[in-house]
Amino acid sequence: MRRHPLVAAIIVAAGPAVLAAAPAGAAHSVTQAAVTNVDVSQRPGNESEGTTAVNPTNPNNVVIITNIQHGGGLFEGVSFDGGVTWTTSIIGDNDNLGVACCDPTISFDEHGNLFLSYLYLQGNTVPNIVPVALSTDGGLHFNLISNIVKPGPTSALIASDRRGLFRFVDQPTITAASGAVWLVFNAGGPVVATGAAVTGLGAVGSFIPVEAVPGTNNCTYGDVAIGPAGQVMQVCTQTESGQGGGHIRVSEDADGLGPGGFGGTVTVTDTHVGGFDFIPAQPDRSVDAEPGLAWDRSGGPHRGRVYLVYAHEHPNESDDTDIMLSYSDDQGVTWSAPLRVNDDRTVTSQFLPKISLDQTDGHVAIVWYDARNDLGLGGAGDTDGVPNDDAQFWGAFSDDGTTVSSNLQISAGTSNSHDSQNSIDYGDYSGLSFFGGVAHPAWSDNSNSTGNNPDGQLHALDIYSASVTDPT
Ligand SMILES: [Ca+2]
Ligand SMILES: [Ca+2]
Ligand SMILES: [Ca+2]
Ligand SMILES: [Ca+2]
């Protein structure tokens, strides 16, 4: 997102096991495993834009960070039992991390370093600096290790809620692996990138000079992935405004932290999803195509394959968005024909996808918000008799990008983002981390399906999670 949040105290909890409903109109019958939903935040007000990461040196260590309503901090949940119980706190509330606005992004590396980036908040504005913080104790404590200054002409602070073109810093994404950490963000026009070498737990070098990525002006909502040889790929969606459509653009920095920069962009596809594409299930904030990358660094058969997930609207402005998956075996030069991930037979919205690759075997998991069970006919999946404005959280797995598993309903309940009065609905993204055969998603939910939401009938969003086992 790029907006604000609030503060409060927190606790822990686990919800009841639920048997997810069989998907209406699923392409094939699904044996649904029980997916236990956990209300991680259990706090007043809205939590959205959850980012999550599993520690590869201790897969029971799972961390979720979200924005909170009305600015001034981030919500954090830390689990050391695989996501069953969580220690929660507010960070970035004028503590050693400064004051955080929003847009959290986290990544564990192979040493157990947990990197965090976000946007600062100064008064009602976001300064042109993007912080990088590091935790070496599984997320219990963070310290700032760098403040990345936006390159180019300095300019006045801008309103944190301003929409449209040429925001100055926005949408950071951080990824760490293979001896490096990389950060990309929208620098008010182009995507920019920087990275640093990492040699061990707490051993992070200096960040290289920030480089603008050629061909990315007005391209945003990006992601960054690190390949098996240390090469780096970014993806973004252009343009960052409107509802008419956007192009997915990828490019590679082939020598990673070496002196070469990013090459020219490859336009993968037109999504028909603009930077602010309004759909009934996200009526206040809108959605973007939310492209995501995952690079196979595993020892599996498709090591070197890079996967791309995004939302595609067809026909344009129909609100029938679907989740699409492509892959490339040539560093993003050419891409496979897109595979539709969601297996419903409806014309409802599927949106805000997230992809994560299990580096133990090369399988990918994909999660998203899904309105397939909201036909406006009441019953499970419909809170209000209006079609396509309620969402559940769904997921799927793929071994190699050529086929995808039957879809799995992950959320036990059904949410209505507008009822949350969050002004940004579920925000701009969902969260997912997949390691060792278990996917850990993070999503915003106001169903109160676990009975732990302190807002009761006020319908504010809590951050939920679950442990979802790879069936493939
Ligand atoms: Ca559109
Ligand atoms: Ca659809
Ligand atoms: Ca509805
Ligand atoms: Ca809440």
Side-chain angles (χ1 to χ4, degrees):
M1 121 181 146
R2 7 358 148 101
R3 31 349 279 300
H4 349 294
L6 175 111
V7 194
I10 323 299
I11 323 208
V12 183
V18 296
L19 192 62
H28 22 253
S29 63
V30 186
T31 302
Q32 295 267 214
V35 177
T36 300
N37 286 198
V38 179
D39 182 342
V40 176
S41 61
Q42 298 190 40
R43 66 183 296 279
N46 289 295
E47 295 82 52
S48 61
E49 302 194 338
T51 176
T52 185
V54 177
N55 185 346
T57 71
N58 173 10
N60 282 325
N61 179 199
V62 187
V63 178
I64 294 176
I65 296 182
T66 80
N67 61 28
I68 56 178
Q69 195 173 12
H70 301 137
L74 302 170
F75 166 81
E76 182 183 21
V78 181
S79 176
F80 288 98
D81 59 7
V84 178
T85 62
W86 298 80
T87 300
T88 65
S89 60
I90 298 296
I91 62 174
D93 56 347
N94 203 21
D95 58 11
N96 66 321
L97 301 182
V99 180
C101 159
C102 48
D103 277 10
T105 170
I106 60 175
S107 179
F108 270 111
D109 73 2
E110 68 275 16
H111 304 293
N113 292 302
L114 177 61
F115 293 92
L116 163 67
S117 186
Y118 50 97
L119 298 178
Y120 281 133
L121 185 64
Q122 284 182 5
N124 287 322
T125 61
V126 175
N128 289 326
I129 299 167
V130 178
V132 177
L134 172 64
S135 173
T136 56
D137 60 4
L140 294 176
H141 304 89
F142 284 95
N143 286 301
L144 279 173
I145 59 168
S146 191
N147 279 310
I148 308 299
V149 179
K150 179 190 79 67
T154 57
S155 48
L157 303 178
I158 60 162
S160 63
D161 255 4
R162 194 170 94 182
R163 294 186 171 188
L165 298 175
F166 298 105
R167 296 180 53 81
F168 288 86
V169 299
D170 199 6
Q171 303 285 332
T173 302
I174 201 160
T175 299
S178 299
V181 56
W182 279 87
L183 173 72
V184 294
F185 59 90
N186 176 6
V191 170
V192 298
T194 183
V198 183
T199 53
L201 186 65
V204 183
S206 298
F207 281 80
I208 64 173
V210 177
E211 47 183 298
V213 179
T216 61
N217 208 26
N218 301 334
C219 203
T220 187
Y221 303 106
D223 195 11
V224 60
I226 299 172
Q231 67 272 59
V232 178
M233 189 177 295
Q234 70 81 33
V235 64
C236 57
T237 179
Q238 185 185 49
T239 70
E240 64 177 317
S241 65
Q243 303 196 68
H247 294 93
I248 301 290
R249 301 176 77 92
V250 302
S251 55
E252 185 192 40
D253 185 329
D255 73 349
L257 294 170
F262 280 83
T265 58
V266 172
T267 300
V268 180
T269 189
D270 185 343
T271 64
H272 298 159
V273 180
F276 291 90
D277 213 313
F278 289 87
I279 59 174
Q282 191 89 347
D284 303 304
R285 173 56 185 170
S286 72
V287 295
D288 68 278
E290 203 51 30
L293 294 172
W295 212 325
D296 187 346
R297 300 182 303 271
S298 76
H302 301 293
R303 176 180 169 86
R305 180 167 290 182
V306 60
Y307 296 85
L308 169 67
V309 69
Y310 57 93
H312 175 252
E313 183 180 49
H314 183 75
N316 192 13
E317 294 314 285
S318 64
D319 301 325
D320 184 1
T321 52
D322 294 319
I323 308 304
M324 311 303 288
L325 177 66
S326 291
Y327 63 85
S328 174
D329 290 326
D330 58 9
Q331 336 304 318
V333 177
T334 60
W335 292 84
S336 67
L339 178 68
R340 185 183 192 242
V341 176
N342 51 294
D343 62 5
D344 64 293
R345 294 174 181 161
T346 75
V347 294
T348 58
S349 305
Q350 286 73 38
F351 56 102
L352 300 183
K354 186 67 75 178
I355 187 169
S356 182
L357 190 143
D358 184 347
Q359 297 292 347
T360 68
D361 62 10
H363 294 181
V364 297
I366 301 157
V367 295
W368 63 91
Y369 293 93
D370 195 320
R372 73 175 68 186
N373 283 329
D374 183 12
L375 303 181
L377 302 174
D382 179 21
T383 69
D384 58 3
V386 177
N388 205 25
D389 69 341
D390 295 301
Q392 301 165 335
F393 204 70
W394 285 68
F397 295 86
S398 178
D399 288 358
D400 58 8
T402 64
T403 60
V404 66
S405 74
S406 297
N407 294 177
L408 177 74
Q409 183 181 335
I410 295 171
S411 70
T414 300
S415 294
N416 185 291
S417 69
H418 182 68
D419 284 351
S420 72
Q421 301 181 45
N422 189 24
S423 81
I424 59 161
D425 301 318
Y426 307 113
D428 288 340
Y429 51 90
S430 57
L432 178 65
S433 187
F434 182 28
F435 185 85
V438 182
H440 294 274
W443 73 95
S444 284
D445 192 309
N446 63 358
S447 70
N448 198 22
S449 66
T450 69
N452 300 123
N453 190 327
D455 288 307
Q457 298 306 306
L458 294 178
H459 303 299
L461 296 158
D462 280 356
I463 283 290
Y464 277 48
S465 189
S467 299
V468 186
T469 301
D470 182 359
T472 65

